[in-house]
Amino acid sequence: MKKIFTIIIIAIITCLNTSGCGKINESATDKASFVETPTDAATSQNNKDIISQPSPEVDDTKADNIVNETPKPETPEMVKFTSDEAYLDANRRVKFLGLKEYKKIEGENNTDKPQKGNKYLVLFLSISNTGNEEDYINYNYLSAKVNGKKTDHTFLVNSPRNYPPIFEHIEAGKTIGGFIVWEVPENWKTISLTYNGWKDTDNISLSAKFTKKDLQNPIIYDSTNYN
């Protein structure tokens, strides 16, 4: 009888121990690891909002309009005059008067002499200001090429055919006569010139080209013709 009772007690103890092993004891630390703090919750929500927000779209039409609004520099209109035909517009008239070669130009006290192997080539012009404002013929805007090679105009002590230099102020409604001179090789063939003094105001670039066929004497300068 004692033996049976002992077996029953052992069986009961074994059963209790087995049930205890099947329980999971969640510690406070384990539970804390799954608790979401208010700060973490807010951060998580913000991240979700950022991800859920649509990306801003670029208006290609506006971008193109901004690019197209950039002004493009205008190409000046190329205009010209010749020994036979003057240039004329609403604000001016440029007329060829003559083209002359000089081996030297003598005056009362001085003589202009070019370097050996060169000569002076003098262009005589009249320019009328038919606009409403004063004009100025600025030598800084004049360029030239002799036989295709760039050259600068020069100056003279004396006045060929009594003409003054053309680089002057011209009052509205007035006309001036004057000359431009270059030192060129004796065997020069062509001279081409460009004047950009009216490029910014009227968007024009004045040009001309001359050869030895255009050589001719201008009339003697008379200041009364330009008053």
Side-chain angles (χ1 to χ4, degrees), residues 5-171:
F5 183 75
T6 302
I7 293 171
I8 292 171
I9 291 174
I10 293 171
I12 292 171
I13 293 171
T14 301
C15 182
L16 291 174
N17 289 336
T18 303
S19 299
C21 292
K23 294 182 180 179
I24 298 174
N25 184 17
E26 294 181 354
S27 64
T29 304
D30 294 335
K31 291 181 179 180
S33 63
F34 292 94
V35 175
E36 190 176 51
T37 63
T39 303
D40 293 336
T43 302
S44 177
Q45 183 61 39
N46 289 338
N47 290 337
K48 290 179 180 179
D49 293 340
I50 292 172
I51 294 173
S52 63
Q53 289 179 359
S55 300
E57 295 182 358
V58 178
D59 191 337
D60 294 334
T61 303
K62 291 183 178 180
D64 291 340
N65 289 339
I66 293 174
V67 174
N68 293 334
E69 287 174 2
T70 303
K72 295 181 179 179
E74 295 185 14
T75 301
E77 179 185 0
M78 300 299 294
V79 299
K80 65 180 181 179
F81 70 99
T82 68
S83 58
D84 298 321
E85 185 176 358
Y87 170 72
L88 178 66
D89 64 29
N91 294 314
R92 62 193 60 83
R93 184 187 70 170
V94 181
K95 183 180 180 181
F96 173 93
L97 298 180
L99 184 68
K100 188 172 175 60
E101 295 176 330
Y102 291 91
K103 292 184 178 180
K104 61 180 180 179
I105 302 174
E106 296 181 350
E108 293 182 1
N109 301 314
N110 297 285
T111 299
D112 292 293
K113 289 183 179 181
Q115 295 182 1
K116 186 177 182 180
N118 291 347
K119 61 178 61 175
Y120 290 124
L121 182 63
V122 183
L123 174 64
F124 301 88
L125 301 172
S126 70
I127 302 178
S128 300
N129 181 359
T130 55
N132 298 320
E133 298 180 359
E134 183 182 80
D135 198 359
Y136 174 59
I137 309 304
N138 191 330
Y139 62 86
N140 289 313
Y141 292 99
L142 178 68
S143 60
K145 291 182 178 180
V146 175
N147 298 339
K149 185 178 180 180
K150 185 178 179 180
T151 187
D152 294 325
H153 61 277
T154 186
F155 68 94
L156 299 172
V157 174
N158 298 296
S159 301
R161 307 288 286 181
N162 294 334
Y163 281 80
I166 198 68
F167 306 111
E168 296 183 28
H169 290 273
I170 312 174
E171 295 180 12

